[in-house]
Every structure is written in structure tokens, then in C-alpha cells.
């Protein structure tokens, strides 16, 4: 059983920074990708950033966060991160980490962490 636990959310002023963490535990084999999604009130969940490991490492970001957010992974700690800089009020949402792993490419989700950008 794989579990993902996010941390690092909170309240920050516009222009500020936060770093989200997502710690993975359990039997994890063959990670295909790790990612971050977010869901604002009244909106659908959307992709924020993803790092895929099918051939080397490739990263993709939503246009709205390019140049401001960075996804990374620490293999030794089984933890992925989302560094968020120059935060805007429209970044306010619940952020979820996502991992695709195993022969069957099972998708795992964290429980979500609230990020609020407000003055």
C-alpha cells in the first residue's frame, strides 16, 4: 500500500513563496511520473507540474505557473517537492501530489494541502 502525505501549505502574501512536500511510503516500484495538481473552489482539478521518468526526466508545467514553480524529487527521501515563488491570489487552491508507479501504472494521490495567497 502506497501512501502520499503532503505538507507545507498555508497562508502567504502575494509575491511570497512556499515549498510543498509530498512524502511517499510503502512498496513503490517503477515510478513513471510524479506530479502536482490543484483544485480551486468551484473549479476542476488541474495539472500544475509533472515530472516523467519514462526516458530520462522530462518536466511539464501549466502555462500559468511556468517560470514560478519548480517540481523536484529526492529519491533518497522518497519525497517530491513543489517550490512555488511569486505566488498570486489565483494560485489559491488545494494542492494534491500524484504518483504513477508499478507494472500496472497505478495512480496514487495525496490527501491535499491548502494554499491560500492573500494580503
Amino acid at each position: 500500500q502506497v501512501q502520499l502525505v503532503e505538507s507545507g501549505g498555508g497562508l502567504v502574501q502575494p509575491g511570497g513563496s512556499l515549498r510543498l512536500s509530498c512524502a511517499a511510503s510503502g512498496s513503490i516500484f517503477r515510478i513513471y511520473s510524479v506530479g502536482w495538481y490543484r483544485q480551486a473552489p468551484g473549479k476542476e482539478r488541474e495539472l500544475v507540474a509533472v515530472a516523467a521518468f519514462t526516458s530520462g526526466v522530462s518536466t511539464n508545467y501549466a502555462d500559468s505557473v511556468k517560470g514560478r514553480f519548480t517540481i523536484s524529487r529526492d529519491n533518497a527521501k522518497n519525497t517530491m517537492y513543489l517550490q512555488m515563488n511569486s505566488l498570486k491570489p489565483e494560485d489559491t487552491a488545494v494542492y494534491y501530489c500524484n504518483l504513477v508507479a508499478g507494472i500496472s501504472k497505478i495512480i496514487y494521490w495525496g490527501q491535499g494541502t491548502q494554499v491560500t495567497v492573500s494580503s
Side-chain angles (χ1 to χ4, degrees):
Q1 184 76 14
V2 174
Q3 289 189 325
L4 303 178
V5 179
E6 296 119 335
S7 60
L11 174 64
V12 63
Q13 293 187 341
S17 298
L18 281 176
R19 189 178 78 158
L20 305 183
S21 300
C22 176
S25 62
S27 300
I28 304 172
F29 302 100
R30 188 62 175 92
I31 295 176
Y32 287 92
S33 68
V34 296
W36 290 92
Y37 290 70
R38 67 187 181 187
Q39 187 167 19
K43 295 187 177 181
E44 294 187 353
R45 190 174 297 189
E46 64 175 358
L47 173 69
V48 175
V50 62
F53 309 104
T54 50
S55 57
V57 180
S58 65
T59 56
N60 283 289
Y61 296 89
D63 288 342
S64 59
V65 307
K66 281 181 181 177
R68 300 189 297 123
F69 290 12
T70 303
I71 186 172
S72 63
R73 173 187 171 194
D74 185 331
N75 293 338
K77 296 182 178 179
N78 274 347
T79 301
M80 70 177 89
Y81 303 96
L82 184 69
Q83 178 65 45
M84 306 186 293
N85 299 327
S86 302
L87 283 161
K88 304 175 181 180
E90 51 263 43
D91 295 318
T92 296
V94 178
Y95 284 71
Y96 298 89
C97 61
N98 163 287
L99 181 148
V100 180
I103 297 175
S104 302
K105 295 187 177 181
I106 299 173
I107 302 172
Y108 300 95
W109 291 95
Q111 82 286 355
T113 186
Q114 177 70 47
V115 172
T116 302
V117 185
S118 175
S119 55

